[in-house]
Amino acid sequence: MKKIKSILFFFLAFITFSFFMEIFLSSAAITVPSISVDKEKGERYVANKTTNSLFTTEGFGLAKTNSLGWYGKECNKNTRQDINIGVIGNSFVAARQVFERNNFVTKLEENLNNSLEPSVAVFNFGKEALPTSELLYLVNEVENDYKLDYNLVLLNERSFEGLNRMVPFYEKKQDKFVLNTSFKNSSKYKIYRTLESVGLAHSSLTFLMYRVKNQLQNAAPIVFGKLYDIFQKNGVQKSQPSSLTELDRDIIREIDKKQKIVFLLDLEPKKKAVVQECIKNSTIIDLEPILDSIRQNYIDPNFWKISGKEGHWNNTAHDIVGKALSKELIQKKFKTIK
């Protein structure tokens, strides 16, 4: 009986907190759930919203999406310059946990414009949880819709994790890439559409429930305290290191066939060697020496003081990667120097 009362009290407090958080964020023009679900493109960021990183264990940052649903400035005729570059990748590119001005994408543009005679625009096409099967879809979209001069494609350890979201993705059937849009038939998608019809799809309560459900192993000891054993009867399972599948290799080869692709690699040596074997036509920039230069100064590029744990790149890493990457691009791609 005591446990039942504790559970009821927790959920009452949770709903009350969410209600007042909803009012606060709405009045501040900030949205907590940054994800919407497009009927064709799947999970995307909500357009024209300022989003925050309050509910992460990393840094705090505010980032505004444009009308196309990407972070940073919109890619249109007013923003395009002499050289136009897209950066495509997962949450390391989107980087909601840092302010936009500190993102390596922004730093890259600043440093290129300080060094090159032609003006440069760099656009952020970062999107959370982007395995290769979805990455190919996004590379095709950016190539077809924006027609930029160069596209930088980031591959890191998280690029080879499994796919378990409401997204279109490529699979191979009879040696041909086929787009799979089965997410539209999933129960999660139907629940989202139901919530959207009553105006709750983007509420902080819905978002928090989603986070608790999907990150229960990490959140439960903190959120539930003594109630943890009710939700977690087995020991916490550690995720195993991901490996490259044959589909991963085929997708990298497919992206390599495109024009003016630059691969940015942040991979452990064995995996990096396999990826490099798949790339025959495109430029490769290895980010590991850049990140090692940070470690040599006794700074962990993935360490966050707020949690005392490793995660995405911190502010120092974004700054140094942006500067070093601009030098690499100038050396390998651009010859006109101020």
Side-chain angles (χ1 to χ4, degrees):
M1 188 67 182
K2 187 176 180 181
K3 280 189 176 181
I4 295 175
K5 287 182 178 179
S6 297
I7 293 171
L8 291 174
F9 178 77
F10 167 77
F11 281 110
L12 179 62
F14 178 79
I15 293 171
T16 304
F17 166 79
S18 299
F19 174 75
F20 285 105
M21 181 63 74
E22 190 79 47
I23 294 174
F24 168 74
L25 293 173
S26 298
S27 63
I30 297 173
T31 180
V32 178
S34 57
I35 299 296
S36 62
V37 184
D38 183 272
K39 291 182 179 179
E40 299 301 324
K41 298 178 179 179
E43 289 185 7
R44 289 298 166 98
Y45 297 122
V46 180
N48 295 317
K49 292 288 185 179
T50 299
T51 61
N52 64 62
S53 303
L54 276 173
F55 302 98
T56 71
T57 57
E58 298 179 9
F60 172 76
L62 293 174
K64 185 173 176 57
T65 56
N66 55 51
S67 67
L68 299 172
W70 302 107
Y71 286 121
K73 63 178 179 293
E74 186 174 308
C75 183
N76 56 47
K77 63 180 181 180
N78 296 320
T79 55
R80 293 176 76 98
Q81 302 296 322
D82 298 320
I83 299 175
N84 299 284
I85 302 170
V87 185
I88 306 170
N90 53 29
S91 51
F92 282 71
V93 177
R96 284 197 304 128
Q97 70 278 5
V98 302
F99 283 89
E100 182 188 333
R101 62 179 179 271
N102 297 324
N103 191 316
F104 84 92
V105 176
T106 304
K107 296 291 184 181
L108 173 61
E109 182 180 90
E110 290 175 359
N111 285 280
L112 287 175
N113 278 311
N114 288 334
S115 302
L116 293 173
E117 190 61 47
S119 58
V120 180
V122 182
F123 302 98
N124 189 327
F125 296 105
K127 187 169 175 286
E128 274 118 339
L130 198 69
T132 56
S133 54
E134 187 190 348
L135 174 65
L136 177 57
Y137 174 81
L138 188 53
V139 169
N140 286 340
E141 179 183 328
V142 172
E143 180 185 49
N144 295 331
D145 292 355
Y146 302 102
K147 297 179 172 36
L148 302 172
D149 299 305
Y150 298 92
N151 285 318
L152 313 186
V153 178
L154 175 68
L155 292 176
N156 59 17
E157 298 297 331
R158 299 187 187 185
S159 302
F160 306 103
E161 295 178 348
L163 185 72
N164 186 27
R165 300 181 304 119
M166 293 182 280
V167 294
F169 62 93
Y170 277 100
E171 53 189 356
K172 214 164 187 187
K173 293 183 178 179
Q174 298 178 342
D175 293 327
K176 291 184 179 180
F177 285 107
V178 178
L179 188 64
N180 186 320
T181 57
S182 59
F183 73 91
K184 290 183 282 189
N185 301 319
S186 70
S187 59
K188 286 171 65 177
Y189 180 77
K190 293 174 182 176
I191 291 171
Y192 177 88
R193 286 296 168 210
T194 301
L195 291 172
E196 188 179 51
S197 66
V198 294
L200 290 176
H202 303 294
S203 71
S204 59
L205 176 60
T206 302
F207 177 73
L208 285 170
M209 292 296 287
Y210 174 84
R211 294 284 291 200
V212 170
K213 178 180 178 296
N214 286 276
Q215 298 191 22
L216 192 58
Q217 289 182 347
N218 295 324
I222 300 170
V223 175
F224 296 107
K226 293 181 179 179
L227 300 175
Y228 179 53
D229 60 329
I230 298 174
F231 295 91
Q232 184 69 21
K233 295 181 179 179
N234 301 318
V236 175
Q237 299 293 320
K238 293 185 178 180
S239 60
Q240 298 298 316
S242 56
S243 57
L244 269 74
T245 65
E246 191 56 42
L247 178 61
D248 290 325
R249 294 181 175 90
D250 287 343
I251 287 174
I252 293 169
R253 294 186 188 104
E254 184 69 15
I255 296 174
D256 182 46
K257 293 177 183 177
K258 301 180 182 299
Q259 298 294 315
K260 295 185 177 180
I261 293 287
V262 178
F263 283 96
L264 311 178
L265 304 184
D266 178 18
L267 298 166
E268 55 89 15
K270 289 184 179 179
K271 195 173 295 180
K272 180 166 56 182
V274 175
V275 170
Q276 287 173 327
E277 288 179 2
C278 298
I279 300 171
K280 305 298 183 184
N281 306 306
S282 305
T283 299
I284 298 174
I285 295 179
D286 186 3
L287 298 180
E288 195 55 32
I290 300 173
L291 297 170
D292 274 343
S293 69
I294 304 174
R295 296 185 185 100
Q296 288 169 9
N297 289 315
Y298 304 101
I299 299 172
D300 186 340
N302 299 89
F303 180 77
W304 292 88
K305 290 182 180 179
I306 189 171
S307 63
K309 297 179 181 179
E310 288 193 343
H312 294 77
W313 293 339
N314 52 35
N315 283 310
T316 301
H318 275 279
D319 184 49
I320 294 176
V321 167
K323 291 176 181 176
L325 185 53
S326 67
K327 292 179 181 178
E328 290 279 343
L329 280 173
I330 289 170
Q331 181 182 357
K332 296 185 182 213
K333 283 291 179 186
F334 311 127
K335 303 301 181 184
T336 307
I337 310 296
K338 285 184 179 178

